[in-house]
Amino acid sequence: MTNAWSASMQEPELQGLSQEEARRSLAAQGPNSLPQAQQRMAALLLHTVREPMFLLLLVASVLYLALGDWHEGVALLVMAALTIGLALFQEGRTERALQALRDLSSPRALVLRDGRALRIAGSEVVEGDLLLLAEGDRVAADAVLLQASGLRVDESLLTGESQAVAKSAAGGPLPPATPGGDEMPFVWSGSLVLQGEGLARVSATGPRTELGKIGRSLQAVGSEPSPMQRDASRMTRLMAVAGVAVSLLAVLLYGLQGGDWLAAILAGIALTMSLLPAEFPVIMTVFLAIGAWRMARVQVLTRRLPSIEALGSITVLCTDKTGTLTQNRMGVEQLYAEGELLQLPFSAQDVLPAAFDDLVRFAALASKPRASDPMEQAFHALAGSPRQDGLLREYPLSAGLRAMTQVWDEGEADLATVAAKGAPEAIGALCRLDATQMTAMRAAADRMAAQGLRVLGVARAQHALSLLPAGQDGFRYSFLGLMGLADPLRAEVPDAVGQCHAAGIRVIMITGDYPVTASSIAQRAGLAGGAVLTGEELERLDDAALRARLAAVTVCARISPMQKLRIVEALKANGEVVAMTGDGVNDAPALKAAHVGIAMGQRGTDVAREAAALVLLDDNFASIVRGIRLGRRIFANMRSAFSYVFAIHVPIAGMALLPAVMGWPMLLYPMHIAFLELVIGPACSLAFEYEASDAGAMARPPRRADAPLLERATLAGALVQGVVGLLATALAYALALGQLPAPAARAAGFAALVLVNLSLIFSNLSAARSALLRQAAGNRVSHLVAAVTCTMLLLVLYVPPLGQAFQFGVLGALELGLALAVGLACFVVNQAAMRAAVRWQRPIERKA
């Protein structure tokens, strides 16, 4: 930030709004966001009534009403209404979760309020706010520039032109306000700061911005289907086609046997409904959306829903050090000058020896006056109040030279004061230290770094005011010494790293720090034992050599952002599934290249956030591990839900077709299928989504990236369960037909099928745990589904009008007990089958 801008911050008119003024403006203007579609609920309703299941229910109800059977016709219409209500409830819950994610995903803004810089949600920006703009920021609202320093902006979102445009501060009457054009004093909502800094007063927010006027939406959760979603859609289509074909066969069988073709058509509708896997897309939508909402609650924002699938496949996690493994709270602990080491806190800091006093002073002069970097804040805290006036020029840090220099006018005739800080080796090179001096400096830096300190060198120079050099190496520096800063390791990191290792995930720390410092922090974090790769070494390696070298590396030090991309590509070439963290503009390529890019939410730029699939809201490594655990839970529960849906359709379809084959009275009419669907819907989406992660979730190796959701083990287990349920229901119905009239037998068979359905729900809920442990886990939603189902079953069995609508006769306690015994027996058998399938499945998953 330039000195002119820093000084202007002290002016009363540039102190920004007060918090109370901002609160009143927000209430009057509304949030700084684009209006949401007003027809969302109508669209959901239209989508629901077009669903095949709903249309089949309507056709069946019309046929019953045409036959004069008002009980069943009206009952089916009620079922159709309940189907719509349930679908809208699930869609509404999903939409609320997605909206919460959109709110979190919106651009953040740095504003001046009461003279203090505050980071707020972009939606909270109001007209009159002062925006602080820096490289990598997404502009949160339309604004007029009051100050600008080398500011260049990408306005292609509005203009379609990808070329960056320069910006300048308003200096008089404002020209026409239109996007595009160099040296204009306007910045626009949605544009991206590519370079420089600026201070701007907000002129329009929300729908009043240029972006709002043309109705473009910046932030939306990605909707492109993932491979898993495409597989589910393909499976849905195949089952639907098979269902229609089998249903036509059933219509022919029933019609030829009894001659009642209308009843045969109703039977065909029931069979089509029984085979239609309408739950598959529901599972994919609900699980990913609600799962992403759950991840946001553990401080992991999901910007692209399909990335949740990849979490369980991660084999290598590349993480930053500062702020991710550490607390990002810098404090100066050691000073080194003229061959002496001083440990802080110093008992009399007001009388520091002259050499150390110069070291501290010039470290602060080499830092930005309004510092946001914790390291620079630590220098200012040690030196006192930062200097605000006299800054002439800044030479920024670059990939080629890891040092920065600031030039000050301190009132000396024709002489500027020059302060530089940076990596010890870079400062040593700028000071042109000889071999002996460089060796001594490196030895001191190594001793400090071995204690886990971040070490920076500091230098000073003087130069003629009239002609400043083009680069930092144009000054004649004097070496002042070294500063050692401590950034404590987060307390939860060692345990989180241990969880990664137990889960088969290799952790690599990538940092720009000194190698010895990085190794010390890595050892404390639990990453000891691996090799260290420096950026200098990396540059000397070709791609093949880098791939081989990375096989044994746990720490990458002195790495530039662009080198991260090579690391990601080399790991991917080794067959790894890579997660990569980053926060800067230059981290974006690596974040995009990684299978799972993870941006920092607090200190990260908007460019990094937009390039990443996930955003850490608290910048904490432990949150990544929590996100991985939750991602594994989401996938496991989704797999269980698919297994349950596949399994339950076997006995339903079987009992819709078997009576036609065996010459029995029909068991299932559309009414009965609709009843079962009212149970299956909440069970597969809500009950399974709510299921907790099993204790061994982070004790298993990562899932193969190409592993299908329903592989052979899952399909085999589901098929076995379905066949067991079909045999149990068929046996119960056959026994009932031998003892009871057809209506009572139908009631017994249907009761058995409903209870078999419940047994399949509880068999598939986290099959890795025993039944007792599962019940102790307390899945309240599954208990609620079971309680409501049993209540509904008793109502249709023993309330005469409902029983008449379902074509049921009176069912005695003995027959009800038989149905209950069938359900319990089915549960026991299927529990054993599921556990056997899990034991078979895991070795298959581990094969690469």
Side-chain angles (χ1 to χ4, degrees), residues 255-512:
L256 293 174
Q257 285 179 4
D260 188 348
W261 289 97
L262 197 53
I265 291 174
L266 289 171
I269 291 174
L271 185 54
T272 302
M273 292 170 63
S274 70
L275 285 172
L276 192 66
E279 300 83 8
F280 284 177
V282 172
I283 292 171
M284 297 301 300
T285 302
V286 171
F287 272 68
L288 292 180
I290 305 301
W293 173 75
R294 290 190 185 279
M295 292 187 69
R297 296 181 67 187
V298 297
Q299 304 300 306
V300 181
L301 172 63
T302 307
R303 297 193 70 253
R304 297 179 181 87
L305 293 183
S307 65
I308 294 176
E309 299 174 23
L311 284 173
S313 301
I314 292 171
T315 60
V316 174
L317 174 55
C318 299
T319 176
D320 287 331
K321 176 184 75 68
T322 304
T324 306
L325 296 178
T326 63
Q327 297 177 19
N328 202 25
R329 296 177 181 175
M330 287 286 188
V332 181
E333 290 200 357
Q334 290 183 3
L335 304 175
Y336 173 84
E338 297 183 351
E340 295 185 15
L341 187 69
L342 181 65
Q343 183 71 42
L344 298 180
F346 187 56
S347 57
Q349 292 187 27
D350 55 330
V351 288
L352 278 172
F356 293 110
D357 187 61
D358 283 346
L359 176 63
V360 170
R361 175 171 172 262
F362 276 87
L365 286 175
S367 303
K368 293 185 178 182
R370 186 180 288 272
S372 57
D373 188 316
M375 177 187 65
E376 294 187 333
Q377 291 173 347
F379 291 155
H380 286 313
L382 186 60
S385 299
R387 182 168 184 159
Q388 298 292 342
D389 58 342
L391 180 61
L392 298 176
R393 183 169 178 179
E394 175 185 315
Y395 296 84
L397 187 80
S398 67
L401 182 61
R402 304 182 66 82
M404 67 174 291
T405 297
Q406 295 197 144
V407 182
W408 297 83
D409 181 0
E410 293 193 311
E412 297 187 37
D414 297 326
L415 285 178
T417 298
V418 183
K421 73 176 190 302
E425 62 270 25
I427 294 297
L430 286 175
C431 294
R432 300 174 176 84
L433 299 181
D434 59 32
T436 302
Q437 293 171 323
M438 186 69 81
T439 299
M441 186 271 291
R442 284 182 178 274
D446 285 347
R447 287 193 297 271
M448 297 167 73
Q451 302 172 55
L453 301 180
R454 182 174 184 181
V455 184
L456 292 183
V458 180
R460 65 175 297 178
Q462 284 189 318
H463 198 277
L465 278 169
S466 57
L467 187 61
L468 296 178
Q472 298 183 67
D473 55 0
F475 298 104
R476 296 183 61 85
Y477 293 96
S478 298
F479 182 71
L480 292 178
L482 302 171
M483 308 278 284
L485 300 99
D487 184 6
L489 190 73
R490 293 182 185 267
E492 61 271 31
V493 163
D495 178 64
V497 170
Q499 290 183 52
C500 285
H501 290 162
I505 301 171
R506 183 173 153 224
V507 180
I508 299 177
M509 185 176 80
I510 301 179
T511 177

Side-chain angles (χ1 to χ4, degrees), residues 86 91 125 140 151 158 279-281 329-330 332 355 393 398 416 456 560 565 573 589 621 655 668 732 754 785 812:
L86 179 59
E91 288 280 359
V125 172
L151 191 64
L158 291 164
E279 300 83 8
F280 284 177
R329 296 177 181 175
M330 287 286 188
V332 181
R393 183 169 178 179
S398 67
L456 292 183
S560 69
L565 179 59
F621 178 82
M655 293 311 298
L668 298 177
V754 170
V785 168

Side-chain angles (χ1 to χ4, degrees), residues 1-11 147 197 368-370 387-389 391:
M1 191 177 295
T2 65
N3 178 62
W5 184 13
S6 302
S8 70
M9 297 302 169
Q10 311 305 313
E11 300 174 15
Q147 302 285 349
E197 297 167 323
K368 293 185 178 182
R370 186 180 288 272
R387 182 168 184 159
Q388 298 292 342
D389 58 342
L391 180 61

Side-chain angles (χ1 to χ4, degrees), residues 229-278:
Q229 289 170 317
R230 287 193 290 268
D231 287 345
S233 298
R234 186 165 52 250
M235 189 178 302
T236 300
R237 289 193 297 270
L238 289 174
M239 290 185 66
V241 170
V244 171
V246 175
S247 298
L248 291 175
L249 175 61
V251 170
L252 290 174
L253 289 175
Y254 277 117
L256 293 174
Q257 285 179 4
D260 188 348
W261 289 97
L262 197 53
I265 291 174
L266 289 171
I269 291 174
L271 185 54
T272 302
M273 292 170 63
S274 70
L275 285 172
L276 192 66

Side-chain angles (χ1 to χ4, degrees), residues 40 42 65 85 132 148 152 174 183 200 203 250 451 524 551 555 564 624 631 639 646 649 664 717 733:
R40 177 63 188 170
L65 291 174
L132 298 173
R152 296 181 67 82
L174 294 177
E183 302 302 333
S203 58
Q451 302 172 55
R524 298 181 195 179
V555 175
K564 286 185 176 183
I624 302 176
R639 169 177 283 169
F646 190 87
H649 278 81
W664 297 343
Y733 189 42

